[in-house]
Amino acid sequence: MIKTIIFDIGGVLAGFDWRTFYEGQGFGGEMIERLADATVRSEVWKEYDRGCLTDEEILQRFVANAPEIETEIRKALDDFHGLVTKYDYAIPWVKELKAEGFQILVLSNFSQKALRECWHGLDFLPYVDGGILSFQDKLIKPMSEIYHLILDRYHLTPGECVFMDDTQPNVDAARAIGIHAFRFENQAQAREELKKLGVVAG
């Protein structure tokens, strides 16, 4: 019996569209690809979410990936407003599930800078019952430790939880410790997956 529903944030409860974000700053074509390779598509991006380094230390690592575009990297990442965007269904869905008696948590790789500067896209957070944003505990998905931490912190039984994420390795890591999990594609598909587990709302 499912008692707790755990949501990823980016790509599930809010948008994370770095391409549109970079376009909005006046970059285009080849420069967007170069910026992406140096930043969001690099392994260094995970360090933003892990929260162990300062913003400037992270920037220096991005610049080291492509020193010839240092000016563009610094401009692109100066302000995160617009990087995380609102999904209109997020609050109604959370409220609907809570009304049916489910505990709602979030488990997301998320940086302090993104939390601070993207609040408009995170307007559902006051409605959830808690969760973990990676920078707060210096752990990131798909590390098994972050899944054990949310279970321990909220006194959860793995088989009574379902987790949805848009990244397959994160889903696999949850399944490995006994949490029901599936890859999120869209809200309609997620509702069907939840229904298979007996989660019917609305």
Side-chain angles (χ1 to χ4, degrees):
M1 178 181 175
I2 300 299
K3 297 180 179 179
T4 301
I5 300 170
I6 307 172
F7 286 93
D8 176 32
I9 293 179
V12 179
L13 287 180
F16 177 71
D17 186 352
W18 54 263
R19 188 177 298 278
T20 300
F21 175 69
Y22 285 160
E23 287 174 349
Q25 297 181 39
F27 299 112
E30 181 187 353
M31 181 53 69
I32 287 180
E33 298 305 317
R34 293 172 70 189
L35 282 169
D37 287 342
T39 61
V40 293
R41 287 200 294 236
S42 79
E43 287 296 304
V44 179
W45 191 263
K46 294 177 182 177
E47 297 306 319
Y48 246 141
D49 294 336
R50 196 189 303 269
C52 294
L53 301 175
T54 67
D55 288 352
E56 180 57 32
E57 287 171 332
I58 295 289
L59 275 171
Q60 289 173 2
R61 293 193 182 195
F62 288 146
V63 169
N65 285 338
E68 71 282 0
I69 58 168
E70 176 174 1
T71 300
E72 289 82 359
I73 289 171
R74 290 185 176 276
K75 176 187 175 185
L77 299 180
D78 179 60
D79 187 337
F80 274 9
H81 286 91
L83 180 58
V84 178
T85 55
K86 180 177 179 175
Y87 280 175
D88 288 338
Y89 65 69
I91 290 176
W93 198 13
V94 168
K95 291 172 73 173
E96 178 186 324
L97 291 166
K98 284 178 61 101
E100 294 293 331
F102 297 102
Q103 180 182 35
I104 306 299
L105 303 175
V106 294
L107 179 61
S108 184
N109 289 351
F110 221 85
S111 70
Q112 185 173 25
K113 181 176 174 69
L115 179 63
R116 185 172 63 243
E117 298 178 2
C118 299
W119 190 250
H120 174 73
L122 303 170
D123 59 351
F124 56 85
L125 282 178
Y127 296 88
V128 305
D129 298 308
I132 291 175
L133 302 181
S134 59
F135 79 88
Q136 296 168 329
D137 291 285
K138 316 306 183 196
L139 297 169
I140 57 172
K141 299 175 296 185
M143 297 170 63
S144 62
E145 291 89 342
I146 198 169
Y147 300 92
H148 286 294
L149 180 60
I150 198 169
L151 293 176
D152 292 344
R153 183 167 290 170
Y154 292 94
H155 311 290
L156 307 175
T157 300
E160 295 176 350
C161 302
V162 58
F163 172 61
M164 65 187 87
D165 193 296
D166 64 331
T167 303
Q168 191 62 46
N170 297 341
V171 172
D172 294 340
R175 288 175 176 167
I177 62 169
I179 298 172
H180 298 283
F182 61 88
R183 183 170 183 175
F184 180 92
E185 297 173 14
N186 55 62
Q187 189 193 22
Q189 168 260 351
R191 283 185 181 277
E192 288 303 311
E193 293 289 345
L194 290 172
K195 197 176 297 184
K196 293 175 187 175
L197 293 166
V199 176
V200 180

